[in-house]
Amino acid sequence: MSIKAVIFDLDDTLYPEIDYVKSGFGVVAARIEERFGVNGVADKMLELFGTDRADVYGRTLDAFGIGRNEAFISELAEAYRSHIPNIKLDGAAVGVLAELGARGYKLGILTDGRPFGQRAKIFALGLDKLVDGIIVTDELGGEEYRKPDPKAFEFMLDRLGVAAEEAVYVGDNPNKDFAVKKYLPIKTVRIANGGFYADCACRDGIMPDRTVKTINEIPAAVGEING
């Protein structure tokens, strides 16, 4: 069968996830600075995040000598999760989606995560206007639908009107983006662009069918799979 649809992961596939982190940290930093009269909080948060992603808010408060307050840390976490992100889709991603669409491929986005946050990213990037179908897996009934569970993929295939053999899934995370092949005969392409999960091992040893370094290479990779 020929390929008729290309389905994309979101974070670190269609845009750099660090851009979302910076956007959220800006909102969190503003709250800390307003309440405690300190400066340079966003830069300190990024520095701490770069060394260890755990407990960034608590460690930031410690770094400024503020002291930990669990209620305030929970408030900061909610501010991050609920903020409207200041992120943009770069020209390369826009061009690739346009090229694939012009070639007649159906386009989808299948992403894990909290529904509000993922939808906010999608709308901020304008992706809702560029693809034929969007699924945030948690909206299907909870975290059990997250990749590599095949149910979300089956819903997407049905939405796009294609068979599994007619689809390519493009992602970045070896721990979950390619193991769907254990359940469905979907072709997969990895973008190895140094994102947050670049060093993860492939789950169940299931490797992607193709690996590229940039999104610009996706049309060629899909063409190779198509034969």
Side-chain angles (χ1 to χ4, degrees):
M1 289 188 179
S2 62
I3 300 301
K4 296 181 180 177
V6 184
I7 306 164
F8 289 86
D9 170 52
L10 178 61
D11 300 300
D12 274 336
T13 297
L14 286 170
Y15 84 105
E17 189 171 4
I18 188 62
D19 290 354
Y20 178 79
V21 173
K22 290 177 180 178
S23 174
F25 281 179
V27 171
V28 170
R31 292 204 178 195
I32 296 172
E33 291 175 351
E34 180 180 2
R35 183 169 299 193
F36 297 102
V38 294
N39 296 299
V41 175
D43 289 341
K44 174 56 69 173
M45 292 179 74
L46 284 169
E47 176 189 332
L48 295 172
F49 181 81
T51 58
D52 184 352
R53 298 176 202 166
D55 190 30
V56 172
Y57 307 139
R59 290 159 58 215
T60 298
L61 297 178
D62 288 342
F64 285 90
I66 294 169
R68 289 171 179 262
N69 179 314
E70 294 305 320
F72 185 50
I73 289 173
S74 295
E75 177 186 323
L76 296 176
E78 180 57 30
Y80 180 95
R81 288 193 292 264
S82 63
H83 88 282
I84 303 302
N86 180 21
I87 54 178
K88 294 182 179 180
L89 200 65
D90 69 22
V94 173
V96 164
L97 293 173
E99 180 178 349
L100 292 171
R103 293 186 185 183
Y105 294 110
K106 293 285 188 178
L107 301 176
I109 294 172
L110 193 157
T111 178
D112 292 340
R114 293 182 177 89
F116 178 88
Q118 296 308 96
R119 291 286 176 179
K121 295 173 189 177
I122 288 164
F123 292 140
L125 295 167
L127 286 165
D128 54 308
K129 302 178 181 67
L130 300 176
V131 301
D132 302 295
I134 297 170
I135 288 179
V136 178
T137 57
D138 289 28
E139 291 178 344
L140 300 177
E143 294 183 11
E144 63 265 32
Y145 287 92
R146 291 185 178 184
K147 298 173 286 184
D149 187 276
K151 295 182 185 67
F153 288 89
E154 290 167 348
F155 282 124
M156 178 61 79
L157 294 170
D158 183 65
R159 188 168 298 179
L160 298 180
V162 299
E165 296 88 345
E166 297 173 321
V168 171
Y169 187 70
V170 180
D172 70 291
N173 188 341
N175 184 49
K176 62 180 182 179
D177 283 337
F178 315 118
V180 65
K181 291 171 65 66
K182 183 176 181 180
Y183 310 101
L184 297 169
I186 293 176
K187 299 296 185 182
T188 57
V189 178
R190 177 188 179 191
I191 299 182
N193 56 7
F196 286 160
Y197 302 100
D199 296 330
C200 291
C202 286
R203 183 179 294 199
D204 298 325
I206 299 174
M207 305 289 289
D209 293 288
R210 296 285 191 283
T211 297
V212 301
K213 291 186 177 180
T214 70
I215 196 168
N216 286 323
E217 300 171 75
I218 293 301
V222 172
E224 290 174 4
I225 292 171
N226 228 349

